[in-house]
Amino acid sequence: MLAKLKRSGSLRERGAKVANPILAILIAFAMGGLLVMISGESPFATYQALLEGSFGSWTAIKNTVRYAIPILLLAYSFSLCDRCGYFNISHESQIYSAVLTMSVISETMKGAPSWLRLLLMMVGACLAGAVACIIPALARFKLGISEVVVGVMLNYLMAFFAKHMIAFTFIAETQSSSIMSLPIPETIGALTILIGAIVVVVLYQFVLKKTIPGYRLTVVGKNPKFAEASGLPSMRILLSAAAIGGILTGLCAIGEMLGYYHIIYADFASNMGFNGMTAALIGGGGALGMLLGALLLGALRSGSVLLTVTTNVPSELVDCVQGFVMFFATINLIRPERWKRKKEG
């Protein structure tokens, strides 16, 4: 009898874990449709344009995957840190640190072979992202300062520092009418970026579910005091998770910089971190769920291009829908523990 109760409770928890993000997405799209109706447009035509712009052609599908990959990497970065009790909200500072490091290496190593420059830029981006991710973690676990406060302030600091660097230093493009950095000539193909993302997905799932370090990370996140009492080096595990989270953000910056943009411009990393957090909340920390969440957000970004062309609805609708998804996914509208308390009470 007890085993049946445990099994039913586990099934309810799994069902709620799947149903919550689906319900959040449905409510978010309903709220977005209501906003469209208030503005005098048709929600059906609006969402049809979004669907065609994200999956209506092979080019649209490629654009959806292109936008989904950086969101997925940031979602994994957030989820990995969250598993050990560290709220990684400083993604933007990590991205700025990574792309600035790449630009500085590119300009200081002009005479070096292209393969060496490429290797140094990739290693430098990952190290810079790791350092930027560890700083808020150290502030929390060594000084007792909230990592959220430190992370948000670090985001603003690195955004302003990046603007200064691309406007007044040796990496600035002085011949341009807008603020931007000098271009990086090295490039990485879209197929290489896609294969790298697939490798990250497989490794993420394997390490967390099938290895001892993944188990230790989960134990530290659920009960750090028990982990310390069991002899696990909680601080080392926490900082290692933060470093790996920063490396994942560095990989995101590498793909964006060497795959598509090749320059740093003002507000280069604006809102990228919140996209990753939203995908992580949709996926509930699971590898497959975060992949689907990243594809959803990537589809919204890809479809917003056609949305502004074929309708009078502004692309900011996508931001509204994403905000609603993040809000309702955080609330967790379906909670099995409430049902249990009601039955017991």
Side-chain angles (χ1 to χ4, degrees):
M1 185 65 179
L2 183 60
K4 287 183 179 180
L5 289 174
K6 288 183 177 180
R7 196 180 304 115
S8 63
S10 177
L11 289 174
R12 282 198 298 267
E13 290 176 0
R14 292 178 183 176
K17 193 173 182 180
V18 174
N20 269 316
I22 295 176
L23 185 59
I25 292 169
L26 293 176
I27 294 175
F29 276 98
M31 297 292 288
L34 181 61
L35 292 177
V36 173
M37 290 179 63
I38 293 174
S39 64
E41 300 293 330
S42 169
F44 298 104
T46 299
Y47 287 135
Q48 182 180 359
L50 278 175
L51 187 62
E52 289 179 0
S54 53
F55 298 107
S57 65
W58 178 241
T59 301
I61 293 173
K62 288 194 294 185
N63 286 334
T64 295
V65 175
R66 174 262 177 278
Y67 286 115
I69 288 175
I71 296 174
L72 178 66
L73 293 174
L74 294 176
Y76 282 4
S77 172
F78 176 83
S79 178
L80 182 69
C81 295
D82 187 58
R83 279 179 175 269
C84 67
Y86 167 46
F87 195 84
N88 183 11
I89 200 174
S90 60
H91 281 128
E92 291 183 16
S93 68
Q94 296 161 35
I95 293 173
Y96 282 124
S97 299
V99 296
L100 284 174
T101 301
M102 293 170 68
S103 186
V104 169
I105 291 174
S106 176
E107 290 305 309
T108 55
M109 300 287 292
K110 275 189 173 180
S114 181
W115 67 268
L116 180 59
R117 284 161 45 91
L118 186 63
L119 177 62
L120 290 176
M121 282 190 290
M122 294 175 68
V123 173
C126 290
L127 290 177
V131 171
C133 191
I134 287 175
I135 291 174
L138 286 173
R140 173 184 172 180
F141 297 109
K142 289 293 186 181
L143 303 176
I145 305 172
S146 172
E147 74 271 29
V148 176
V149 175
V150 177
V152 170
M153 297 307 296
L154 197 59
N155 287 341
Y156 282 110
L157 175 64
M158 289 305 302
F160 289 127
F161 180 66
K163 288 180 181 178
H164 172 80
M165 290 288 291
I166 63 177
F168 302 111
T169 65
F170 66 97
I171 67 171
E173 176 57 89
T174 57
Q175 304 301 321
S176 175
S177 59
S178 58
I179 300 176
M180 58 182 288
S181 69
L182 290 165
I184 297 176
E186 283 76 20
T187 186
I188 295 178
L191 181 60
T192 304
I193 296 174
L194 177 61
I195 293 173
I198 294 172
V199 171
V200 170
V201 171
V202 174
L203 286 177
Y204 182 90
Q205 183 72 3
F206 176 76
V207 170
L208 288 183
K209 299 295 184 182
K210 304 294 183 181
T211 66
I212 294 176
Y215 173 75
R216 288 178 175 177
L217 181 67
T218 304
V219 171
V220 170
K222 289 185 175 180
N223 196 330
K225 292 183 179 179
F226 173 78
E228 285 284 355
S230 302
L232 294 178
S234 296
M235 181 59 63
R236 190 189 310 166
I237 293 173
L238 290 168
L239 295 180
S240 298
I244 296 173
I247 290 173
L248 289 172
T249 307
L251 292 176
C252 168
I254 291 170
E256 292 295 283
M257 195 69 169
L258 299 182
Y260 303 101
Y261 295 111
H262 300 280
I263 60 167
I264 309 170
Y265 54 87
D267 301 323
F268 179 89
S270 180
N271 293 326
M272 290 182 67
F274 288 104
N275 293 337
M277 289 173 59
T278 305
L281 290 172
I282 293 174
L288 180 59
M290 287 189 287
L291 175 60
L292 296 177
L295 284 173
L296 171 66
L297 298 180
L300 288 174
R301 291 293 163 190
S302 177
S304 65
V305 178
L306 185 63
L307 179 68
T308 57
V309 174
T310 59
T311 70
N312 294 323
V313 179
S315 60
E316 283 75 15
L317 172 69
V318 170
D319 297 325
C320 292
V321 172
Q322 182 178 326
F324 284 129
V325 170
M326 190 173 186
F327 176 75
F328 289 110
T330 305
I331 292 176
N332 282 339
L333 297 173
I334 302 175
R335 298 185 180 182
E337 62 271 16
R338 286 184 176 179
W339 306 339
K340 184 178 179 181
R341 285 198 298 266
K342 286 181 179 180
K343 286 184 178 182
E344 292 177 350

